[in-house]
Amino acid sequence: MAALVWGRCFPRAWLCRRAGPGCGRHYRAALCAELQQPLTIEEVAPRPVGPHEVRVDVHFCGVNFADILVCRGQYQKRPQLPFTPGMEFSGTVLETGTDVSTVKEGDRVLGVSGSHGMAEECITDQKALWQIPEKIPLQEAAVLPVSYGTAILALEHRAHTQPGETVLVTAAAGATGLAVIDVATNVLQAKVIAAAGSDEKCKLAVQRGAQSSVNYSQNSLKEAVRKLVGSGGVNVVIDTVGGDIFLEALGSLAWEGRIVVVGFAGGTIASVPTNLLLLKNVSAVGLYFGQYQVQNFPIFSRSLSSALQYCQQGRIQPHVGAVFKLEEVNDAFLHVMQRKSTGKVLLSLK
């Protein structure tokens, strides 16, 4: 069968298994052997853990748009082929290296590894793991790292959102969008306008806490926001779409408003008309969540600790939109790429 172009339907024949080298026990992992081609499921021989490393029995792994971009060679970071994608996961500790002091065998953990998460086992540095409180199920914990870490950094660290302010979030029914609604409404006591591409997604966003919604596939986002809040505009925008939606959102800002660029799910990177920044004294800032793990680890770690704390306290309610098995990883990717997903999409490794 000829290789299919990425983004079309992936036949299950692509999901093959090949025995890895060596003998003894093996574990299954999703493998990207060629960019822009479907993933395969491989049997992998485990390697020894290093002194500062931890082997985790993975229960759930998040499926992010960034994972798809990595497998298409369109992300900021490009791992050497072949590689196993998967930036976030939850599970239990199987084994620790000789110098590991933060976790022990049997601990429930969530991890942010950059890759390697879409496998039954994952080895990562101890600094990439956070212990999960007793009250939080592993499935719920797997939603937290990327989506809620991004939401918390965007709202608290980059936009400095204050109680009573109005937040506009684009792609509001996606994993990050719903996390922004959750944190802004239930933690920061802000008001949220949810912008999404269908009435169904707008309805979900309102059900999850947004005060109002806008379907930007049917109406001008800027005009719809003006009808909701008047000419004063919104205080904060969290944008994951880019392109014309970003420009309309930028034009919806109030005096000294802040817009945070989180991603470009729409596929177009807009040029910023800097005169708009000057006229209203507004700020446009970026957020590359994963880079904080390298450049400012204390802030990165605090965002995940806050997400776990908010969840344990019952202040946030992570939303799982769909769960796929490991062997359905290409179906999961397609589900996200076709904009069918709402909330977090997960792989279940059990």
Side-chain angles (χ1 to χ4, degrees):
M1 180 183 293
L4 299 179
V5 175
W6 191 286
R8 288 180 173 176
C9 181
F10 301 143
R12 296 193 183 276
W14 281 100
L15 292 168
C16 62
R17 297 183 187 177
R18 298 201 299 263
C23 58
R25 72 177 183 85
H26 290 68
Y27 64 90
R28 297 184 306 151
L31 191 74
C32 178
E34 184 178 355
L35 297 178
Q36 301 192 32
Q37 294 299 321
L39 305 184
T40 58
I41 302 300
E42 303 281 347
E43 296 281 350
V44 181
R47 67 168 178 85
V49 297
H52 298 279
E53 292 182 325
V54 178
R55 189 189 314 278
V56 177
D57 181 22
V58 180
H59 286 235
F60 295 95
C61 179
V63 178
N64 296 286
F65 189 64
D67 294 312
I68 298 171
L69 292 179
V70 170
C71 293
R72 295 170 73 173
Q74 297 173 345
Y75 197 61
Q76 294 94 322
K77 293 184 178 179
R78 299 189 179 186
Q80 184 177 349
L81 294 169
F83 66 89
T84 293
M87 300 178 175
E88 59 182 342
F89 58 88
S90 65
T92 57
V93 174
L94 288 173
E95 181 186 359
T96 59
T98 54
D99 295 335
V100 171
S101 58
T102 57
V103 295
K104 64 183 184 303
E105 183 179 342
D107 281 351
R108 301 161 71 249
V109 294
L110 62 78
V112 184
S113 61
S115 59
H116 312 308
M118 295 183 182
E120 291 174 331
E121 292 184 11
C122 176
I123 293 179
T124 191
D125 189 276
Q126 63 176 334
K127 288 182 67 175
L129 297 174
W130 285 259
Q131 290 197 45
I132 301 171
E134 281 281 328
K135 290 173 62 176
I136 305 177
L138 286 172
Q139 178 173 301
E140 198 168 281
V143 180
L144 297 176
V146 174
S147 299
Y148 278 84
T150 297
I152 290 167
L153 282 180
L155 289 165
E156 297 184 7
H157 182 65
R158 299 299 278 155
H160 305 289
T161 308
Q162 301 301 309
E165 288 192 318
T166 301
V167 176
L168 170 65
V169 55
T170 63
T176 299
L178 290 181
V180 168
I181 293 171
D182 206 0
V183 174
T185 302
N186 298 313
V187 177
L188 302 178
Q189 306 304 310
K191 301 175 223 176
V192 177
I193 300 173
S198 73
D199 289 340
E200 182 183 2
K201 290 180 177 181
C202 286
K203 181 179 178 181
L204 174 63
V206 171
Q207 289 173 347
R208 301 297 297 181
Q211 278 70 42
S212 53
S213 65
V214 175
N215 180 346
Y216 47 57
S217 70
Q218 297 179 353
N219 306 290
S220 162
L221 176 60
K222 184 177 178 179
E223 290 305 314
V225 170
R226 184 187 298 272
K227 289 179 181 178
L228 289 170
V229 300
S231 59
V234 299
N235 306 106
V236 173
V237 174
I238 310 298
D239 177 51
T240 64
V241 177
D244 291 341
I245 296 299
F246 165 83
L247 294 174
E248 291 199 61
L250 178 64
S252 301
L253 282 173
W255 171 262
E256 291 193 334
R258 293 85 72 197
I259 186 167
V260 184
V261 178
V262 176
F264 313 100
T268 303
I269 299 175
S271 296
V272 179
T274 52
N275 63 308
L276 293 183
L277 306 185
L278 182 148
L279 291 173
K280 289 187 177 180
N281 280 346
V282 302
S283 301
V285 300
L287 173 59
Y288 180 5
F289 171 70
Q291 198 62 16
Y292 274 92
Q293 194 169 10
V294 178
Q295 297 290 341
N296 195 329
F297 184 77
I299 287 178
F300 180 84
S301 181
R302 188 160 64 243
S303 73
L304 296 189
S305 297
S306 294
L308 286 166
Q309 180 183 2
Y310 296 157
C311 193
Q312 184 182 26
Q313 293 171 341
R315 299 171 72 185
I316 58 174
Q317 303 291 329
H319 179 70
V320 177
V323 180
F324 293 83
K325 298 176 182 178
L326 177 61
E327 56 268 25
E328 298 172 327
V329 61
N330 291 316
D331 296 329
F333 274 26
L334 193 61
H335 186 71
V336 174
M337 291 165 63
Q338 292 182 334
R339 303 178 187 273
K340 294 180 179 178
S341 60
T342 56
K344 177 63 75 174
V345 176
L346 296 176
L347 292 182
S348 173
L349 284 302
K350 301 298 176 190

